[in-house]
Structures are given as C-alpha cells and as structure tokens.
Amino acid sequence: NDVLKEFATKAMFVPDQVSTKGVSSNANCDDDKLGCWKLSFGVVADGWAESEFPENVGYDYAYYVVYDDPETTHVGGYLRELTGILDHDVDAVKIDFDYREKDFTFALGYSSEHDPNYRYCSMHQSTIFGVSWFENLWLDQCGLGSGASGGPWIADMDENGVGTLFSINSWGFDDKIGMAGPSLRTQDGSLAECLFQKAVKAKDPGKKGGYVVSC
C-alpha cells in the first residue's frame, strides 16, 4: 500500500474465479474450481513505495510470491487431482519484457460491478500522459472498472485465450471510460523484469511481508 507503506497481511490468489459456484467473491475457497493460494510475500519497486499515486504511476506493477508448500498455501478447490502447487495446477502466462509493437490488445479483469464475471476489452492501443512525466499505454474505449487493476494486457491471443502479457491494468478516469497500463519493456525504463528476477530469488522476508527493491 503506497499510502500506508505496508504490505498486505492477508491476501490470496483465486485463479479462474469466473468458474466459482458462488454468486460473488467470498472467502469460501471450496466453491472455486482451483481453490485459493495464500500469497507468501510481495515485491515492489522503491519508486512505488517512496511516493503516492499518481506520482508513482510509472512503477504501478509488482509481484506476489507463492511458496511450493500446499499444506500452508493452498485451500479448497472442487476440481479433482489438484496438487496444490500453483505452477502445476495453473498454466503460466508468458511475459515479454521487450514487447514494442502496437498490436491489437486484450485487457482482462474482474470489475467489481460485475463480480464475479471475468470481463475484457479488445482494441488497438495508443498512449496517454496521465501525469506529465510518464507516458502510459492506453485503451481508449475500455470500460473495465474498479477491481480490474492488475489484470493482464495480452497480445497475439489465439482461439484458446493464450497469448503474451506485456502490460497490466493500471488506472482510468472517473468521468469517462478508458484504461491505462504501464509498459513493462526494460529498454523503455521499466523495472518489471528486474523485479521479477528479484522475486524469483527472494527469501522469506518474515513479518514485514515483502521487499521494496532498488534496481
């Protein structure tokens, strides 16, 4: 939290939440197809932690780590033969830290007003300056709302919904539609690749809940 300067103490990941047997988001992981994973710790850039939104908009990306320990991290799931290990039970999404094209883009997310439905926008992207010093990627007609933050922007999506992640939902305006996302391209100055490498190698940070990283 960039205002409180704290990591979340209770956070979980519910993949494929749209397949829930519930009528809305809830704390019952038994009605979710794959169950829930308790998040072990987070990794954010110091540029995010040392300021507040929107001044830190250029660092609006981060990672959560989940330990491969089903007994302490995984709960529920109605699908048979789950291992409880996240990257065994859930297909990984390819991330491209060198993506530079302006291709047709799919942005996805769980807008709170349509909970628990998984929504998407699909259109060509442009750019916008939300603050004077940072140029965001921009989907002008995207109506995803509150709750969709952090959802993926996918290029080259095939008929099975598989593609390459190159940005995420970041912010929109209060009075009109549109969704902004940061470029994750390292050569454009993004620290997303560096944060990823730090997250993969990081050890348990204990009670502080995560790492603020300088790249």
Side-chain angles (χ1 to χ4, degrees):
N1 186 296
D2 61 328
V3 177
L4 299 178
K5 310 303 180 186
E6 296 177 350
F7 286 95
T9 57
K10 295 181 180 179
M12 64 182 182
F13 175 47
V14 186
D16 198 10
Q17 188 182 15
V18 71
S19 297
T20 181
K21 294 181 178 179
V23 297
S24 64
S25 297
N26 57 55
N28 180 11
C29 297
D30 290 329
D31 64 14
D32 295 303
K33 181 178 180 180
L34 301 172
C36 310
W37 275 266
K38 298 177 182 178
L39 304 178
S40 303
F41 62 87
V43 179
V44 302
D46 55 0
W48 174 264
E50 293 173 359
S51 186
E52 295 183 14
F53 195 84
E55 295 306 314
N56 55 8
V57 68
Y59 305 96
D60 193 10
Y61 43 80
Y63 299 93
Y64 268 114
V65 174
V66 177
Y67 294 138
D68 291 338
D69 184 5
E71 292 186 2
T72 62
T73 61
H74 184 253
V75 180
Y78 62 79
L79 189 69
R80 294 183 178 181
E81 299 181 357
L82 290 170
T83 68
I85 298 176
L86 181 58
D87 55 2
H88 288 187
D89 295 337
V90 180
D91 292 335
V93 177
K94 179 183 176 181
I95 305 177
D96 189 349
F97 296 113
D98 191 37
Y99 188 82
R100 68 187 75 187
E101 304 300 327
K102 301 294 184 184
D103 292 339
F104 198 76
T105 299
F106 292 83
L108 304 99
Y110 289 97
S111 295
S112 300
E113 62 181 325
H114 297 290
D115 179 42
N117 296 326
Y118 199 35
R119 313 279 289 186
Y120 73 93
C121 301
S122 54
M123 64 198 68
H124 288 283
Q125 57 175 284
S126 58
T127 60
I128 191 172
F129 283 90
V131 292
S132 61
W133 59 272
F134 186 77
E135 186 176 24
N136 271 112
L137 304 178
W138 179 247
L139 300 177
D140 188 61
Q141 295 299 309
C142 185
L144 292 174
S146 175
S149 295
W153 286 28
I154 303 294
D156 306 321
M157 184 180 287
D158 64 21
E159 60 185 9
N160 296 312
V162 177
T164 302
L165 186 152
F166 66 95
S167 184
I168 57 174
N169 298 325
S170 177
W171 59 269
F173 294 105
D174 292 333
D175 58 350
K176 62 180 180 180
I177 62 174
M179 179 62 71
S183 169
L184 303 184
R185 187 168 183 257
T186 302
Q187 290 189 15
D188 288 342
S190 172
L191 304 181
E193 184 175 16
C194 172
L195 288 185
F196 181 80
Q197 294 169 347
K198 299 279 188 179
V200 169
K201 298 176 181 179
K203 305 297 182 182
D204 185 352
K207 293 183 179 180
K208 65 180 182 181
Y211 293 96
V212 176
V213 173
S214 177
C215 290

